[in-house]
Amino acid sequence: GAGVSQSPSNKVTEKGKDVELRCDPISGHTALYWYRQSLGQGLEFLIYFQGNSAPDKSGLPSDRFSAERTGGSVSTLTIQRTQQEDSAVYLCADAGVGGELFFGEGSRLTVL
Amino acid sequence: GIQVEQSPPDLILQEGANSTLRCNFSDSVNNLQWFHQNPWGQLINLFYIPSGTKQNGRLSATTVATERYSLLYISSSQTTDSGVYFCAVDVDPIIQGAQKLVFGQGTRLTINP
């Protein structure tokens, strides 16, 4: 596709369950980011991947959060043992060499 | 870390009016971007503007890096301009597109018909 694609668009889960969120970036863009937006708030940086370099995980809120990027393309954000405070919209973005970020439509996570 | 403050937090206007949104930041930046989040949640990049002035149709933006602020101008506003406008900055130099943006809290713009 032409844009950043995320799935699922909506996920409702029970507290304590694990969830996986997927991001398909724009072909050819080497940098990939995950951000989180809680209700009524701005965006919070979580992690980014840049080419073959080690990812910058400095924004991950706890060790229950992890992410990987396979083959320099698709990325998966995993949240283990979900908590209610994990409820948010998780946004994936990539960037061309010009620096502009292109966001996907997000995955809305609700933890009951 | 760097602080990003946007004003006003809320703005309600009639269709056709002009508006100015402001973004203040607390440190020198190498990267500043403006985004529009529509009522369905989609974030659209409006401008990449660490300094200077850019225009795109009815929208324009100016960043005065030495004074640590940026302005987004919307002229002849339309109902489709409604949504939240975010300013985001990064203090680190861009390397092959790498950046960790710090977002402001946004300005919620409502354009009434």
Side-chain angles (χ1 to χ4, degrees), chain A residues 30-31 33 35 37 40-45 48 50 56 58 91 95-106, chain B residues 31 33 35 37 40-45 47-48 54 86 94-106 108:
Chain A
T30 60
Y33 303 79
Y35 282 81
Q37 186 175 28
Q41 301 296 311
L43 278 74
E44 172 191 15
F45 166 79
Y48 88 71
Q50 173 56 50
D56 183 328
S58 59
L91 292 150
V97 294
E100 298 92 340
L101 285 193
F102 299 91
F103 280 89
E105 296 187 350
Chain B
N31 181 355
Q33 299 186 36
F35 296 88
Q37 189 167 39
W40 297 270
Q42 177 68 51
L43 269 165
I44 303 297
N45 190 297
F47 294 104
Y48 167 74
K54 289 186 177 180
F86 289 102
I94 290 178
I95 303 173
Q96 295 182 353
Q99 54 195 296
K100 292 191 294 185
L101 295 179
V102 175
F103 280 73
Q105 292 299 300
R108 181 173 299 276

Side-chain angles (χ1 to χ4, degrees), chain A residues 19-103:
Chain A
V19 297
E20 283 190 354
L21 308 175
R22 175 187 169 106
C23 173
D24 259 301
I26 297 171
S27 177
H29 286 186
T30 60
L32 185 148
Y33 303 79
W34 285 96
Y35 282 81
R36 176 170 73 174
Q37 186 175 28
S38 301
L39 185 63
Q41 301 296 311
L43 278 74
E44 172 191 15
F45 166 79
L46 297 178
I47 185 171
Y48 88 71
F49 299 87
Q50 173 56 50
N52 294 321
S53 302
D56 183 328
K57 305 178 181 180
S58 59
L60 294 179
S62 79
D63 59 7
R64 296 185 295 103
F65 288 71
S66 63
E68 63 177 18
R69 188 177 186 191
T70 55
S73 181
V74 173
S75 178
T76 301
L77 177 68
T78 301
I79 309 173
Q80 295 178 309
R81 305 181 302 282
T82 52
Q83 304 294 313
Q84 289 182 332
E85 61 263 28
D86 300 335
S87 296
V89 178
Y90 290 81
L91 292 150
C92 176
D94 69 9
V97 294
E100 298 92 340
L101 285 193
F102 299 91
F103 280 89

